Amino acid sequence: MASKIVKCRFPEADKEAVANAAKAGGVTVSDLLRRAAKAAVNGRIASRPILADLVHVRSLAHRLDSLAAVAGGDARVSAEIKAAAETLREIARRHLVGAQ
């Protein structure tokens, strides 16, 4: 697929902030802007704190799975815990896929 150039203007301070964010993320400015545009096109515009929260949600889903496995007792409760964990994982996956 051939590439096309998209030009945009930033105020100097914003341009510097974008360059610093790209550097901190270990990517080029072009990569950062391509990822942001792709996320926006897919309806996934999220700030870094929101992404961190989604990673935490995914981690909690894994912990819930572990708890369901050791909870024993009522199989219905274990099944509900596992279902909740999978729902949380799906929510996180839906938002994190476009952000990576």
Side-chain angles (χ1 to χ4, degrees), residues 16-94:
E16 188 174 325
V18 169
N20 289 340
K23 185 176 180 180
V27 297
T28 66
V29 170
S30 292
D31 285 336
L32 178 75
L33 295 176
R34 271 192 295 274
R35 287 180 183 189
K38 191 174 186 179
V41 166
N42 290 317
R44 294 183 181 107
I45 300 174
S47 68
R48 187 164 298 280
I50 290 171
L51 293 175
D53 285 348
L54 289 167
V55 169
H56 185 65
V57 165
R58 185 175 57 194
S59 173
L60 289 173
H62 296 321
R63 286 180 59 199
L64 282 173
D65 263 345
S66 296
L67 287 171
V70 297
D74 193 340
R76 289 177 306 180
V77 171
S78 288
E80 286 294 323
I81 292 171
K82 285 188 166 290
E86 186 51 38
T87 299
L88 291 172
R89 251 193 304 281
E90 180 54 36
I91 291 167
R93 183 176 22 254
R94 190 171 48 234

